[in-house]
Amino acid sequence: MAAVMVVTMVVLAAVVGGASAAEEDGWKLRQGFYEQSCPQAEQIVRHYVEQHVPHAPSVAATLLRTHFHDCFVRGCDASVLLNGTDGGEAEKDAAPNLTLRGFAFLDRVKALLERDCPGVVSCADVLALAARDAIGVLGGPFWRVPTGRRDGRVSVKQEALDQVPAPTMNFTDLLASFQSKGLELPDLVWLSGAHTIGIAHCDSFSERLYNFTGRGGAGDADPSLDPVYAANLRRTKCATPTDNTTIVEMDPGSFLTFDLGYYRGLLKRRGLFQSDHALLTDAAARADVESVAGGPPEVFFQLFARSMVRMGMVDVKTGGEGEIRRHCAVVNS
């Protein structure tokens, strides 16, 4: 309980400290946005998440990843939840989003809110709250989520292809991607820690196992990847370079627990993605990884929660912008 209280206090301080700047930019996000219009909103979301995620714990990772991918394209406006229309493909049709799940889960939460408070709570807020609550179910931190986001009306496949950070990125490109959204190096390091509950398909990192320099074959593995770990992955998981169905735990042994396993594995050269290893190629990022990996989990929890609040405020729509969708997959008619 003490750890949760510390996390909450640190994140509250971060939000309060940034409130004046947010107001100057015209943002209206605030904690307790629905206290008058739908006072039970956050409780409804949390109750559903706490009731169902224990029976399907891998949903937590996909909710978190969906929130991340949403915020990196047009801001945190639930545009990733929209279906394509009139023959046009939406963000969810882009390659980085094809493995996202949890759309039906979010639809069910939204339906509960619409039953009690029709037309009040945005899908963007449902996603932000559900991601937070799912992390808590897996033993992670709790933080206050500023709410009041509006839902976007536009979703474009190509924008997701262009803006969602790729697992093959080097450190320079990763940092540039984060900075383009108003985030900084610490946010990159701490948000990457979400991979502690992640899974990956073999084809998203197979080049590191089979074809790193272009020569091909098992002898052409990424030398920055632990060779014993790489050999084990080839033998037991990713038997061919083109396997696009087999999934691998990003934090083997504890991928259903939100903990420090990802960072500790990273320091053993066992990060699956090139973008994971990239954190060790920058002196400041590596120092952050080493520091948190050797400390108590509560420190990471505080830092992760703070960066989640920052990410959740990227290019939000508020006030008269956007809409409150009745159904998360379609704009209001």
Tab-separated table of all heavy atoms in Angstrom, residues 11-61:
chain	number	residue	atom	x	y	z
A	11	VAL	N	3.051	11.163	-9.159
A	11	VAL	CA	2.362	11.479	-10.393
A	11	VAL	C	1.457	12.682	-10.226
A	11	VAL	O	1.353	13.530	-11.104
A	11	VAL	CB	1.564	10.253	-10.884
A	11	VAL	CG1	0.770	10.603	-12.123
A	11	VAL	CG2	2.522	9.107	-11.180
A	12	LEU	N	0.815	12.792	-9.070
A	12	LEU	CA	0.006	13.979	-8.814
A	12	LEU	C	0.847	15.237	-8.895
A	12	LEU	O	0.448	16.241	-9.467
A	12	LEU	CB	-0.648	13.872	-7.425
A	12	LEU	CG	-1.886	12.990	-7.315
A	12	LEU	CD1	-2.283	12.840	-5.851
A	12	LEU	CD2	-3.032	13.561	-8.117
A	13	ALA	N	2.046	15.184	-8.333
A	13	ALA	CA	2.933	16.337	-8.380
A	13	ALA	C	3.292	16.688	-9.808
A	13	ALA	O	3.345	17.860	-10.196
A	13	ALA	CB	4.203	16.047	-7.571
A	14	ALA	N	3.528	15.652	-10.629
A	14	ALA	CA	3.872	15.892	-12.021
A	14	ALA	C	2.726	16.558	-12.765
A	14	ALA	O	2.921	17.467	-13.557
A	14	ALA	CB	4.242	14.568	-12.713
A	15	VAL	N	1.498	16.104	-12.507
A	15	VAL	CA	0.341	16.664	-13.188
A	15	VAL	C	0.081	18.093	-12.742
A	15	VAL	O	-0.148	18.985	-13.544
A	15	VAL	CB	-0.906	15.795	-12.944
A	15	VAL	CG1	-2.134	16.457	-13.539
A	15	VAL	CG2	-0.709	14.425	-13.551
A	16	VAL	N	0.145	18.318	-11.429
A	16	VAL	CA	-0.083	19.670	-10.912
A	16	VAL	C	0.957	20.625	-11.455
A	16	VAL	O	0.677	21.754	-11.846
A	16	VAL	CB	-0.061	19.661	-9.362
A	16	VAL	CG1	-0.086	21.074	-8.831
A	16	VAL	CG2	-1.258	18.885	-8.831
A	17	GLY	N	2.205	20.151	-11.528
A	17	GLY	CA	3.278	21.001	-12.020
A	17	GLY	C	3.075	21.389	-13.460
A	17	GLY	O	3.513	22.452	-13.894
A	18	GLY	N	2.421	20.542	-14.245
A	18	GLY	CA	2.219	20.839	-15.646
A	18	GLY	C	0.872	21.446	-15.948
A	18	GLY	O	0.565	21.734	-17.093
A	19	ALA	N	0.043	21.691	-14.925
A	19	ALA	CA	-1.326	22.137	-15.165
A	19	ALA	C	-1.374	23.512	-15.802
A	19	ALA	O	-2.147	23.756	-16.719
A	19	ALA	CB	-2.102	22.136	-13.851
A	20	SER	N	-0.537	24.458	-15.321
A	20	SER	CA	-0.611	25.804	-15.855
A	20	SER	C	-0.231	25.840	-17.320
A	20	SER	O	-0.853	26.516	-18.130
A	20	SER	CB	0.311	26.731	-15.054
A	20	SER	OG	1.656	26.275	-15.121
A	21	ALA	N	0.813	25.063	-17.696
A	21	ALA	CA	1.212	25.012	-19.094
A	21	ALA	C	0.095	24.424	-19.947
A	21	ALA	O	-0.173	24.877	-21.053
A	21	ALA	CB	2.492	24.183	-19.253
A	22	ALA	N	-0.559	23.396	-19.424
A	22	ALA	CA	-1.653	22.772	-20.167
A	22	ALA	C	-2.780	23.764	-20.385
A	22	ALA	O	-3.369	23.831	-21.457
A	22	ALA	CB	-2.157	21.547	-19.418
A	23	GLU	N	-3.096	24.539	-19.349
A	23	GLU	CA	-4.178	25.512	-19.477
A	23	GLU	C	-3.812	26.596	-20.485
A	23	GLU	O	-4.642	27.070	-21.253
A	23	GLU	CB	-4.473	26.124	-18.111
A	23	GLU	CG	-5.164	25.132	-17.165
A	23	GLU	CD	-5.238	25.652	-15.748
A	23	GLU	OE1	-4.783	26.790	-15.529
A	23	GLU	OE2	-5.730	24.922	-14.867
A	24	GLU	N	-2.535	26.984	-20.499
A	24	GLU	CA	-2.105	27.999	-21.447
A	24	GLU	C	-2.253	27.505	-22.881
A	24	GLU	O	-2.505	28.273	-23.794
A	24	GLU	CB	-0.645	28.381	-21.176
A	24	GLU	CG	-0.462	29.173	-19.895
A	24	GLU	CD	0.998	29.386	-19.559
A	24	GLU	OE1	1.856	28.963	-20.346
A	24	GLU	OE2	1.261	29.978	-18.503
A	25	ASP	N	-2.081	26.205	-23.083
A	25	ASP	CA	-2.231	25.623	-24.405
A	25	ASP	C	-3.688	25.367	-24.754
A	25	ASP	O	-3.997	24.852	-25.814
A	25	ASP	CB	-1.472	24.303	-24.488
A	25	ASP	CG	0.033	24.511	-24.496
A	25	ASP	OD1	0.478	25.630	-24.797
A	25	ASP	OD2	0.740	23.550	-24.173
A	26	GLY	N	-4.609	25.669	-23.824
A	26	GLY	CA	-6.023	25.473	-24.081
A	26	GLY	C	-6.522	24.092	-23.735
A	26	GLY	O	-7.647	23.739	-24.051
A	27	TRP	N	-5.698	23.262	-23.080
A	27	TRP	CA	-6.124	21.921	-22.709
A	27	TRP	C	-7.076	21.986	-21.534
A	27	TRP	O	-6.964	22.840	-20.671
A	27	TRP	CB	-4.926	21.058	-22.334
A	27	TRP	CG	-3.976	20.800	-23.463
A	27	TRP	CD1	-4.069	21.234	-24.745
A	27	TRP	CD2	-2.761	20.048	-23.385
A	27	TRP	NE1	-3.010	20.800	-25.473
A	27	TRP	CE2	-2.185	20.072	-24.670
A	27	TRP	CE3	-2.117	19.358	-22.366
A	27	TRP	CZ2	-0.993	19.437	-24.949
A	27	TRP	CZ3	-0.926	18.726	-22.647
A	27	TRP	CH2	-0.382	18.751	-23.927
A	28	LYS	N	-7.986	21.063	-21.485
A	28	LYS	CA	-8.950	21.014	-20.394
A	28	LYS	C	-8.921	19.683	-19.665
A	28	LYS	O	-9.827	19.380	-18.920
A	28	LYS	CB	-10.362	21.281	-20.933
A	28	LYS	CG	-10.517	22.624	-21.645
A	28	LYS	CD	-10.275	23.806	-20.713
A	28	LYS	CE	-10.494	25.120	-21.452
A	28	LYS	NZ	-10.204	26.293	-20.584
A	29	LEU	N	-7.892	18.864	-19.921
A	29	LEU	CA	-7.800	17.613	-19.185
A	29	LEU	C	-7.630	17.899	-17.702
A	29	LEU	O	-6.896	18.805	-17.310
A	29	LEU	CB	-6.588	16.784	-19.651
A	29	LEU	CG	-6.613	16.159	-21.037
A	29	LEU	CD1	-5.477	15.155	-21.152
A	29	LEU	CD2	-7.934	15.490	-21.326
A	30	ARG	N	-8.296	17.108	-16.886
A	30	ARG	CA	-8.101	17.241	-15.442
A	30	ARG	C	-8.538	15.949	-14.758
A	30	ARG	O	-9.347	15.187	-15.285
A	30	ARG	CB	-8.890	18.425	-14.884
A	30	ARG	CG	-10.397	18.296	-14.982
A	30	ARG	CD	-11.096	19.488	-14.352
A	30	ARG	NE	-12.542	19.345	-14.334
A	30	ARG	CZ	-13.347	19.711	-15.311
A	30	ARG	NH1	-12.835	20.256	-16.403
A	30	ARG	NH2	-14.654	19.551	-15.211
A	31	GLN	N	-8.004	15.723	-13.624
A	31	GLN	CA	-8.417	14.570	-12.839
A	31	GLN	C	-9.854	14.789	-12.352
A	31	GLN	O	-10.235	15.884	-11.977
A	31	GLN	CB	-7.468	14.373	-11.668
A	31	GLN	CG	-6.061	13.995	-12.116
A	31	GLN	CD	-5.077	14.009	-10.983
A	31	GLN	OE1	-5.464	14.096	-9.819
A	31	GLN	NE2	-3.789	13.927	-11.300
A	32	GLY	N	-10.631	13.724	-12.410
A	32	GLY	CA	-12.014	13.834	-11.964
A	32	GLY	C	-12.911	14.593	-12.921
A	32	GLY	O	-13.916	15.171	-12.504
A	33	PHE	N	-12.594	14.585	-14.195
A	33	PHE	CA	-13.374	15.335	-15.186
A	33	PHE	C	-14.847	14.939	-15.162
A	33	PHE	O	-15.740	15.760	-15.398
A	33	PHE	CB	-12.786	15.081	-16.574
A	33	PHE	CG	-13.463	15.818	-17.693
A	33	PHE	CD1	-13.096	17.117	-18.019
A	33	PHE	CD2	-14.486	15.218	-18.431
A	33	PHE	CE1	-13.725	17.802	-19.055
A	33	PHE	CE2	-15.117	15.885	-19.458
A	33	PHE	CZ	-14.740	17.194	-19.774
A	34	TYR	N	-15.130	13.661	-14.868
A	34	TYR	CA	-16.507	13.159	-14.927
A	34	TYR	C	-17.193	13.134	-13.559
A	34	TYR	O	-18.243	12.497	-13.420
A	34	TYR	CB	-16.515	11.752	-15.534
A	34	TYR	CG	-15.987	11.706	-16.947
A	34	TYR	CD1	-14.762	11.103	-17.235
A	34	TYR	CD2	-16.698	12.259	-18.004
A	34	TYR	CE1	-14.269	11.054	-18.535
A	34	TYR	CE2	-16.216	12.224	-19.307
A	34	TYR	CZ	-15.003	11.619	-19.560
A	34	TYR	OH	-14.515	11.577	-20.850
A	35	GLU	N	-16.638	13.799	-12.585
A	35	GLU	CA	-17.208	13.740	-11.235
A	35	GLU	C	-18.657	14.184	-11.188
A	35	GLU	O	-19.459	13.662	-10.413
A	35	GLU	CB	-16.368	14.587	-10.275
A	35	GLU	CG	-15.056	13.905	-9.870
A	35	GLU	CD	-14.227	14.778	-8.943
A	35	GLU	OE1	-14.591	15.978	-8.761
A	35	GLU	OE2	-13.222	14.288	-8.402
A	36	GLN	N	-19.027	15.144	-12.004
A	36	GLN	CA	-20.406	15.627	-12.021
A	36	GLN	C	-21.242	14.950	-13.094
A	36	GLN	O	-22.399	14.587	-12.868
A	36	GLN	CB	-20.421	17.162	-12.248
A	36	GLN	CG	-19.694	17.944	-11.176
A	36	GLN	CD	-20.300	17.731	-9.790
A	36	GLN	OE1	-21.525	17.695	-9.633
A	36	GLN	NE2	-19.443	17.587	-8.786
A	37	SER	N	-20.663	14.762	-14.283
A	37	SER	CA	-21.451	14.257	-15.408
A	37	SER	C	-21.622	12.744	-15.395
A	37	SER	O	-22.614	12.219	-15.913
A	37	SER	CB	-20.791	14.680	-16.729
A	37	SER	OG	-19.450	14.209	-16.788
A	38	CYS	N	-20.663	12.032	-14.806
A	38	CYS	CA	-20.756	10.564	-14.724
A	38	CYS	C	-19.856	10.111	-13.576
A	38	CYS	O	-18.777	9.558	-13.795
A	38	CYS	CB	-20.328	9.916	-16.043
A	38	CYS	SG	-20.627	8.122	-16.113
A	39	PRO	N	-20.287	10.355	-12.339
A	39	PRO	CA	-19.406	10.146	-11.186
A	39	PRO	C	-18.900	8.715	-11.019
A	39	PRO	O	-17.860	8.490	-10.412
A	39	PRO	CB	-20.273	10.566	-9.998
A	39	PRO	CG	-21.686	10.563	-10.498
A	39	PRO	CD	-21.604	10.888	-11.947
A	40	GLN	N	-19.593	7.750	-11.576
A	40	GLN	CA	-19.175	6.353	-11.435
A	40	GLN	C	-18.328	5.871	-12.610
A	40	GLN	O	-18.001	4.678	-12.694
A	40	GLN	CB	-20.401	5.442	-11.283
A	40	GLN	CG	-21.278	5.330	-12.514
A	40	GLN	CD	-22.326	6.430	-12.628
A	40	GLN	OE1	-22.079	7.583	-12.241
A	40	GLN	NE2	-23.490	6.078	-13.151
A	41	ALA	N	-17.950	6.761	-13.526
A	41	ALA	CA	-17.276	6.357	-14.766
A	41	ALA	C	-16.011	5.545	-14.505
A	41	ALA	O	-15.841	4.438	-15.038
A	41	ALA	CB	-16.942	7.582	-15.619
A	42	GLU	N	-15.104	6.079	-13.702
A	42	GLU	CA	-13.837	5.371	-13.478
A	42	GLU	C	-14.062	4.064	-12.732
A	42	GLU	O	-13.366	3.067	-12.977
A	42	GLU	CB	-12.853	6.271	-12.739
A	42	GLU	CG	-12.418	7.469	-13.566
A	42	GLU	CD	-11.150	8.137	-13.036
A	42	GLU	OE1	-10.341	7.451	-12.380
A	42	GLU	OE2	-10.978	9.346	-13.291
A	43	GLN	N	-15.032	4.034	-11.852
A	43	GLN	CA	-15.341	2.805	-11.116
A	43	GLN	C	-15.878	1.738	-12.064
A	43	GLN	O	-15.557	0.542	-11.915
A	43	GLN	CB	-16.349	3.096	-10.014
A	43	GLN	CG	-16.694	1.876	-9.172
A	43	GLN	CD	-17.714	2.193	-8.080
A	43	GLN	OE1	-18.059	3.349	-7.871
A	43	GLN	NE2	-18.194	1.164	-7.414
A	44	ILE	N	-16.700	2.133	-13.031
A	44	ILE	CA	-17.244	1.175	-13.991
A	44	ILE	C	-16.118	0.541	-14.800
A	44	ILE	O	-16.068	-0.681	-14.995
A	44	ILE	CB	-18.256	1.865	-14.923
A	44	ILE	CG1	-19.537	2.221	-14.160
A	44	ILE	CG2	-18.594	0.979	-16.125
A	44	ILE	CD1	-20.514	3.080	-14.942
A	45	VAL	N	-15.190	1.377	-15.262
A	45	VAL	CA	-14.063	0.855	-16.039
A	45	VAL	C	-13.218	-0.080	-15.183
A	45	VAL	O	-12.890	-1.206	-15.583
A	45	VAL	CB	-13.196	2.002	-16.591
A	45	VAL	CG1	-11.975	1.443	-17.327
A	45	VAL	CG2	-14.005	2.904	-17.512
A	46	ARG	N	-12.879	0.371	-13.985
A	46	ARG	CA	-11.991	-0.424	-13.126
A	46	ARG	C	-12.634	-1.748	-12.742
A	46	ARG	O	-11.977	-2.789	-12.732
A	46	ARG	CB	-11.616	0.368	-11.875
A	46	ARG	CG	-10.550	-0.337	-11.012
A	46	ARG	CD	-10.130	0.520	-9.839
A	46	ARG	NE	-9.724	1.835	-10.295
A	46	ARG	CZ	-10.189	2.979	-9.809
A	46	ARG	NH1	-11.086	2.970	-8.824
A	46	ARG	NH2	-9.754	4.133	-10.273
A	47	HIS	N	-13.917	-1.717	-12.444
A	47	HIS	CA	-14.586	-2.950	-12.042
A	47	HIS	C	-14.569	-3.969	-13.180
A	47	HIS	O	-14.293	-5.164	-12.960
A	47	HIS	CB	-16.028	-2.657	-11.633
A	47	HIS	CG	-16.808	-3.886	-11.272
A	47	HIS	ND1	-16.618	-4.585	-10.097
A	47	HIS	CD2	-17.783	-4.562	-11.962
A	47	HIS	CE1	-17.425	-5.627	-10.069
A	47	HIS	NE2	-18.142	-5.632	-11.182
A	48	TYR	N	-14.843	-3.526	-14.395
A	48	TYR	CA	-14.858	-4.456	-15.527
A	48	TYR	C	-13.456	-5.025	-15.763
A	48	TYR	O	-13.291	-6.238	-15.984
A	48	TYR	CB	-15.354	-3.762	-16.792
A	48	TYR	CG	-15.578	-4.729	-17.930
A	48	TYR	CD1	-16.790	-5.400	-18.072
A	48	TYR	CD2	-14.564	-4.994	-18.843
A	48	TYR	CE1	-16.994	-6.306	-19.095
A	48	TYR	CE2	-14.751	-5.909	-19.873
A	48	TYR	CZ	-15.970	-6.557	-19.991
A	48	TYR	OH	-16.155	-7.466	-21.007
A	49	VAL	N	-12.448	-4.158	-15.718
A	49	VAL	CA	-11.071	-4.610	-15.934
A	49	VAL	C	-10.656	-5.607	-14.855
A	49	VAL	O	-10.094	-6.673	-15.149
A	49	VAL	CB	-10.111	-3.403	-15.962
A	49	VAL	CG1	-8.657	-3.866	-15.929
A	49	VAL	CG2	-10.364	-2.552	-17.205
A	50	GLU	N	-10.937	-5.271	-13.604
A	50	GLU	CA	-10.521	-6.150	-12.512
A	50	GLU	C	-11.289	-7.462	-12.512
A	50	GLU	O	-10.806	-8.486	-12.014
A	50	GLU	CB	-10.706	-5.423	-11.179
A	50	GLU	CG	-9.714	-4.271	-10.994
A	50	GLU	CD	-9.926	-3.521	-9.695
A	50	GLU	OE1	-10.970	-3.731	-9.045
A	50	GLU	OE2	-9.047	-2.712	-9.334
A	51	GLN	N	-12.473	-7.470	-13.092
A	51	GLN	CA	-13.284	-8.684	-13.166
A	51	GLN	C	-12.812	-9.614	-14.283
A	51	GLN	O	-12.863	-10.844	-14.135
A	51	GLN	CB	-14.751	-8.301	-13.384
A	51	GLN	CG	-15.718	-9.476	-13.371
A	51	GLN	CD	-17.154	-9.031	-13.560
A	51	GLN	OE1	-17.433	-8.003	-14.182
A	51	GLN	NE2	-18.085	-9.787	-13.010
A	52	HIS	N	-12.330	-9.046	-15.402
A	52	HIS	CA	-12.067	-9.858	-16.581
A	52	HIS	C	-10.583	-10.086	-16.894
A	52	HIS	O	-10.235	-11.146	-17.432
A	52	HIS	CB	-12.752	-9.232	-17.795
A	52	HIS	CG	-14.244	-9.337	-17.756
A	52	HIS	ND1	-15.033	-8.402	-17.116
A	52	HIS	CD2	-15.089	-10.278	-18.234
A	52	HIS	CE1	-16.308	-8.760	-17.223
A	52	HIS	NE2	-16.367	-9.883	-17.891
A	53	VAL	N	-9.719	-9.131	-16.601
A	53	VAL	CA	-8.302	-9.307	-16.954
A	53	VAL	C	-7.663	-10.492	-16.228
A	53	VAL	O	-6.840	-11.195	-16.822
A	53	VAL	CB	-7.514	-8.002	-16.719
A	53	VAL	CG1	-6.004	-8.235	-16.804
A	53	VAL	CG2	-7.933	-6.955	-17.753
A	54	PRO	N	-8.012	-10.780	-14.965
A	54	PRO	CA	-7.401	-11.965	-14.345
A	54	PRO	C	-7.658	-13.264	-15.104
A	54	PRO	O	-6.863	-14.205	-15.009
A	54	PRO	CB	-8.059	-12.002	-12.955
A	54	PRO	CG	-8.394	-10.583	-12.667
A	54	PRO	CD	-8.826	-10.021	-13.993
A	55	HIS	N	-8.732	-13.321	-15.869
A	55	HIS	CA	-9.052	-14.524	-16.634
A	55	HIS	C	-8.409	-14.505	-18.026
A	55	HIS	O	-8.378	-15.544	-18.698
A	55	HIS	CB	-10.571	-14.665	-16.773
A	55	HIS	CG	-11.284	-14.725	-15.458
A	55	HIS	ND1	-11.168	-15.796	-14.588
A	55	HIS	CD2	-12.104	-13.831	-14.844
A	55	HIS	CE1	-11.876	-15.565	-13.499
A	55	HIS	NE2	-12.463	-14.379	-13.630
A	56	ALA	N	-7.913	-13.338	-18.436
A	56	ALA	CA	-7.224	-13.209	-19.726
A	56	ALA	C	-6.129	-12.155	-19.561
A	56	ALA	O	-6.196	-11.076	-20.135
A	56	ALA	CB	-8.210	-12.795	-20.816
A	57	PRO	N	-5.111	-12.470	-18.761
A	57	PRO	CA	-4.119	-11.450	-18.379
A	57	PRO	C	-3.328	-10.855	-19.530
A	57	PRO	O	-2.823	-9.732	-19.416
A	57	PRO	CB	-3.204	-12.201	-17.401
A	57	PRO	CG	-3.447	-13.645	-17.653
A	57	PRO	CD	-4.862	-13.768	-18.105
A	58	SER	N	-3.226	-11.571	-20.656
A	58	SER	CA	-2.482	-11.010	-21.784
A	58	SER	C	-3.184	-9.795	-22.385
A	58	SER	O	-2.576	-9.030	-23.141
A	58	SER	CB	-2.264	-12.075	-22.866
A	58	SER	OG	-3.500	-12.536	-23.382
A	59	VAL	N	-4.461	-9.604	-22.045
A	59	VAL	CA	-5.190	-8.428	-22.534
A	59	VAL	C	-4.559	-7.144	-22.017
A	59	VAL	O	-4.596	-6.105	-22.682
A	59	VAL	CB	-6.680	-8.505	-22.117
A	59	VAL	CG1	-7.394	-7.188	-22.398
A	59	VAL	CG2	-7.371	-9.639	-22.855
A	60	ALA	N	-3.948	-7.191	-20.847
A	60	ALA	CA	-3.336	-5.985	-20.278
A	60	ALA	C	-2.298	-5.400	-21.218
A	60	ALA	O	-2.256	-4.179	-21.443
A	60	ALA	CB	-2.708	-6.311	-18.917
A	61	ALA	N	-1.453	-6.248	-21.775
A	61	ALA	CA	-0.405	-5.760	-22.673
A	61	ALA	C	-1.001	-5.131	-23.926
A	61	ALA	O	-0.527	-4.091	-24.397
A	61	ALA	CB	0.534	-6.904	-23.046
